[in-house]
Amino acid sequence: MRFEVRPIRVEFGAELEGFDVRDLDEQDVRKLVDVLADRGVVVARNQRLAPDEFVALMRRLGPLEYSVRDEFHLPENPDVYVISNIMENGKYIGNPFDGFGWHTDMNFCERPTAYTALYGLEVPEEGADTRFCSAFRAYDLLPEERQAFLRGIQVRHSHDMLHATRRNAPPLTAEQRARAPDVVHPLVRTHPHSGRRCVYLGPKCAVPLGMAEEEGIRLLDELLALATDPGHVYSHRWRVRDLVIWDNRGMLHCATEYDRQKYRRLLHRVTVGGERPF
Ligand code: SIN
C-alpha cells in the first residue's frame, strides 16, 4: 500500500488518503513516522480497527505506554484506554472528564508520550471536537534572543499538581503517586527525528525553575497563548472510524465540550512512550 498525504493546514496536520492500517508494510510505517515528524498530526478516515489491531498498529511506532490511572482501561485489552460518557451498571465505561484544556500527554513522566492515537467508535453529531496546535510554530515565532533565553530554562512537571485540577477524580492511591514522581524537563525540546525545536508545554502543572513563581507562571501562560492562537488551531470534527495520531512532543491538544445528556461518545486511545526530552 502507498498512501497519499494531503496537508490540512499550512503549518501542520495531514489527512492520509488510501491508508489502511491493516495493510502497512515497513516502508509505509517509516513514511508514517516521517509524516508525523513533519506534519505533527495525521487523520485517517474510515479505518476498521478492532482493539487488538489498534494496539498492533501503535506497537509498530514504538513501545506502548501504560497510563498512571488504570480504572479506564478496556478490560479485554488493557493497552487501550477508554474515553467515554457512557455508563454501564452505574459506572462510566471510560474517562469522561479529562483532556479539557490545552496539554501534551504524560509531560509529568521522565519519558513522556511520543505518539497518541484516538479512534472514534461513537461520536456526537455536534461538539466534542479535538483541537490541535503547534508548539514548534510558537518557538519559531520568537526572536532569536528570546529563543536562546528559553533554551536555558528547566521546568518541573508534577502529576500531583495535575491530579488536583481534575474534576470529580478519586484521590490517587499511594501506588499511583509513586508511579509518577515530579520530573524536570527543558522548556525547549528538540524533536529526535527532525531536529526541530519547540517549546515544551504540558497542562497547567508545571513550574519553571530559578524564577519567582508568578514570573514562571506568566512565562508559561505567554508561551501557551502564542501556541494556541485561535487562528492557528486545527479542530478535528469526529466521524465514526476516524483514526487520529499525533506527535506529542510538540503538538498541544484539547478536548471540547458536548451535550452529554443528548449524545454518546466513545473513543479508544493508545499511546506510545518516547525519549527523555532534550
Ligand atoms: C485527550 O486529551 O487525549 C482526549 C481528547 C478528546 O477527548 O477529544
Side-chain angles (χ1 to χ4, degrees), residues 83 98-101 103 105 116 118 128-131 238 246 253-256 265 267 269:
I83 296 173
D98 281 356
F100 295 89
H103 64 285
D105 289 331
T116 303
L118 295 176
D129 291 6
T130 307
R131 293 194 177 139
W238 282 96
W246 64 94
H253 62 285
C254 80
T256 59
R265 187 176 196 240
L267 301 182
R269 183 174 79 180

Short mmCIF file of all heavy atoms in Angstrom, two decimals, residues 83 98-101 103 105 116 118 128-131 238 246 253-256 265 267 269, ligand 1:
data_model
loop_
_atom_site.label_atom_id
_atom_site.label_comp_id
_atom_site.label_asym_id
_atom_site.label_seq_id
_atom_site.Cartn_x
_atom_site.Cartn_y
_atom_site.Cartn_z
N ILE A 83 -12.14 6.56 26.50
CA ILE A 83 -12.68 7.90 26.80
C ILE A 83 -14.16 7.82 26.46
O ILE A 83 -14.52 7.52 25.31
CB ILE A 83 -11.99 8.96 25.91
CG1 ILE A 83 -10.50 9.04 26.24
CG2 ILE A 83 -12.66 10.33 26.07
CD1 ILE A 83 -9.69 9.92 25.33
N ASP A 98 -11.38 14.07 31.35
CA ASP A 98 -10.05 14.63 31.11
C ASP A 98 -9.90 15.23 29.71
O ASP A 98 -10.72 15.00 28.83
CB ASP A 98 -8.99 13.55 31.31
CG ASP A 98 -8.71 13.35 32.79
OD1 ASP A 98 -9.30 14.10 33.58
OD2 ASP A 98 -7.92 12.45 33.11
N GLY A 99 -8.82 15.97 29.57
CA GLY A 99 -8.44 16.44 28.24
C GLY A 99 -8.98 17.82 27.90
O GLY A 99 -8.70 18.34 26.82
N PHE A 100 -9.74 18.44 28.82
CA PHE A 100 -10.33 19.75 28.52
C PHE A 100 -9.38 20.84 28.97
O PHE A 100 -9.33 21.20 30.11
CB PHE A 100 -11.68 19.91 29.23
CG PHE A 100 -12.69 18.94 28.74
CD1 PHE A 100 -12.81 17.68 29.32
CD2 PHE A 100 -13.51 19.26 27.67
CE1 PHE A 100 -13.72 16.76 28.85
CE2 PHE A 100 -14.43 18.34 27.19
CZ PHE A 100 -14.53 17.09 27.78
N GLY A 101 -8.65 21.37 28.13
CA GLY A 101 -7.59 22.33 28.47
C GLY A 101 -6.39 21.92 27.66
O GLY A 101 -6.10 20.71 27.52
N HIS A 103 -2.97 20.73 26.42
CA HIS A 103 -1.92 19.94 27.07
C HIS A 103 -1.19 19.06 26.07
O HIS A 103 -1.64 18.87 24.94
CB HIS A 103 -2.53 19.06 28.18
CG HIS A 103 -3.48 18.02 27.68
ND1 HIS A 103 -4.76 18.30 27.26
CD2 HIS A 103 -3.33 16.68 27.51
CE1 HIS A 103 -5.36 17.20 26.87
NE2 HIS A 103 -4.51 16.19 27.00
N ASP A 105 0.62 15.02 26.38
CA ASP A 105 0.36 13.86 27.25
C ASP A 105 1.60 13.44 28.04
O ASP A 105 2.71 13.40 27.49
CB ASP A 105 -0.14 12.68 26.41
CG ASP A 105 -1.56 12.93 25.89
OD1 ASP A 105 -2.31 13.66 26.57
OD2 ASP A 105 -1.88 12.41 24.82
N THR A 116 0.30 9.76 20.46
CA THR A 116 -1.02 9.40 20.99
C THR A 116 -1.94 9.17 19.80
O THR A 116 -1.88 9.91 18.82
CB THR A 116 -1.61 10.54 21.85
OG1 THR A 116 -0.70 10.85 22.90
CG2 THR A 116 -2.95 10.14 22.47
N LEU A 118 -6.12 8.31 18.78
CA LEU A 118 -7.52 8.15 19.18
C LEU A 118 -8.28 7.54 18.01
O LEU A 118 -8.03 7.88 16.84
CB LEU A 118 -8.15 9.50 19.51
CG LEU A 118 -7.63 10.28 20.71
CD1 LEU A 118 -8.33 11.64 20.80
CD2 LEU A 118 -7.85 9.51 22.00
N ALA A 128 -17.59 18.23 20.88
CA ALA A 128 -16.61 17.15 21.14
C ALA A 128 -15.48 17.09 20.11
O ALA A 128 -14.87 16.04 19.91
CB ALA A 128 -17.29 15.80 21.25
N ASP A 129 -15.20 18.21 19.43
CA ASP A 129 -14.04 18.22 18.54
C ASP A 129 -12.77 18.04 19.38
O ASP A 129 -12.77 18.40 20.56
CB ASP A 129 -13.90 19.57 17.83
CG ASP A 129 -15.01 19.80 16.81
OD1 ASP A 129 -15.95 18.99 16.74
OD2 ASP A 129 -14.92 20.83 16.11
N THR A 130 -11.72 17.54 18.80
CA THR A 130 -10.41 17.58 19.45
C THR A 130 -9.58 18.63 18.71
O THR A 130 -9.50 18.60 17.48
CB THR A 130 -9.71 16.21 19.39
OG1 THR A 130 -10.61 15.22 19.92
CG2 THR A 130 -8.44 16.20 20.23
N ARG A 131 -8.99 19.56 19.48
CA ARG A 131 -8.25 20.65 18.84
C ARG A 131 -6.74 20.42 18.94
O ARG A 131 -6.28 19.87 19.94
CB ARG A 131 -8.58 21.97 19.54
CG ARG A 131 -10.02 22.34 19.30
CD ARG A 131 -10.29 23.79 19.67
NE ARG A 131 -11.66 24.08 19.36
CZ ARG A 131 -12.46 24.78 20.11
NH1 ARG A 131 -12.02 25.32 21.24
NH2 ARG A 131 -13.71 24.99 19.75
N TRP A 238 -15.10 14.96 14.60
CA TRP A 238 -15.04 13.50 14.55
C TRP A 238 -16.11 12.87 13.67
O TRP A 238 -17.26 13.30 13.69
CB TRP A 238 -15.18 12.95 15.97
CG TRP A 238 -13.91 13.07 16.74
CD1 TRP A 238 -13.57 14.08 17.60
CD2 TRP A 238 -12.80 12.17 16.70
NE1 TRP A 238 -12.30 13.85 18.10
CE2 TRP A 238 -11.81 12.69 17.57
CE3 TRP A 238 -12.53 10.99 16.01
CZ2 TRP A 238 -10.59 12.05 17.77
CZ3 TRP A 238 -11.32 10.35 16.21
CH2 TRP A 238 -10.36 10.89 17.08
N TRP A 246 -1.10 11.75 16.74
CA TRP A 246 -0.25 12.94 16.76
C TRP A 246 1.07 12.69 17.47
O TRP A 246 1.20 11.79 18.29
CB TRP A 246 -0.98 14.14 17.34
CG TRP A 246 -1.39 14.07 18.76
CD1 TRP A 246 -0.69 14.51 19.84
CD2 TRP A 246 -2.63 13.56 19.29
NE1 TRP A 246 -1.41 14.30 20.99
CE2 TRP A 246 -2.60 13.73 20.68
CE3 TRP A 246 -3.76 12.97 18.70
CZ2 TRP A 246 -3.65 13.34 21.50
CZ3 TRP A 246 -4.81 12.58 19.52
CH2 TRP A 246 -4.73 12.77 20.90
N HIS A 253 -2.92 19.58 22.42
CA HIS A 253 -4.28 19.23 22.03
C HIS A 253 -5.24 19.50 23.18
O HIS A 253 -4.81 19.62 24.33
CB HIS A 253 -4.36 17.77 21.58
CG HIS A 253 -4.02 16.78 22.65
ND1 HIS A 253 -2.73 16.55 23.07
CD2 HIS A 253 -4.79 15.97 23.40
CE1 HIS A 253 -2.73 15.64 24.02
NE2 HIS A 253 -3.96 15.27 24.25
N CYS A 254 -6.52 19.59 22.87
CA CYS A 254 -7.53 19.69 23.94
C CYS A 254 -8.88 19.20 23.45
O CYS A 254 -9.21 19.31 22.27
CB CYS A 254 -7.60 21.11 24.50
SG CYS A 254 -8.53 22.28 23.56
N ALA A 255 -9.62 18.62 24.39
CA ALA A 255 -10.98 18.17 24.10
C ALA A 255 -11.91 19.37 24.20
O ALA A 255 -11.57 20.36 24.83
CB ALA A 255 -11.38 17.11 25.13
N THR A 256 -13.08 19.27 23.56
CA THR A 256 -14.07 20.34 23.71
C THR A 256 -15.40 19.73 24.17
O THR A 256 -15.64 18.53 23.97
CB THR A 256 -14.28 21.12 22.39
OG1 THR A 256 -14.72 20.20 21.40
CG2 THR A 256 -13.00 21.79 21.93
N ARG A 265 -20.44 9.36 23.51
CA ARG A 265 -19.11 9.49 22.90
C ARG A 265 -18.25 8.33 23.38
O ARG A 265 -18.19 8.05 24.58
CB ARG A 265 -18.47 10.81 23.32
CG ARG A 265 -17.15 11.11 22.60
CD ARG A 265 -16.64 12.48 23.00
NE ARG A 265 -15.61 12.98 22.10
CZ ARG A 265 -14.37 13.30 22.48
NH1 ARG A 265 -14.01 13.16 23.74
NH2 ARG A 265 -13.49 13.76 21.61
N LEU A 267 -14.37 6.82 22.51
CA LEU A 267 -13.10 6.81 21.78
C LEU A 267 -12.17 5.81 22.45
O LEU A 267 -12.19 5.67 23.68
CB LEU A 267 -12.41 8.18 21.81
CG LEU A 267 -13.11 9.42 21.26
CD1 LEU A 267 -12.20 10.64 21.37
CD2 LEU A 267 -13.54 9.24 19.83
N ARG A 269 -8.09 4.98 23.00
CA ARG A 269 -6.81 5.68 22.91
C ARG A 269 -5.66 4.72 23.20
O ARG A 269 -5.74 3.93 24.14
CB ARG A 269 -6.78 6.82 23.94
CG ARG A 269 -5.50 7.63 23.84
CD ARG A 269 -5.51 8.84 24.73
NE ARG A 269 -5.24 8.47 26.10
CZ ARG A 269 -5.19 9.33 27.11
NH1 ARG A 269 -5.48 10.59 26.90
NH2 ARG A 269 -4.91 8.92 28.32
C1 SIN B 1 -7.11 13.54 25.04
O1 SIN B 1 -6.76 14.56 25.61
O2 SIN B 1 -6.32 12.61 24.79
C2 SIN B 1 -8.56 13.37 24.64
C3 SIN B 1 -9.03 14.37 23.65
C4 SIN B 1 -10.52 14.24 23.42
O3 SIN B 1 -11.21 13.58 24.20
O4 SIN B 1 -11.01 14.85 22.46
#
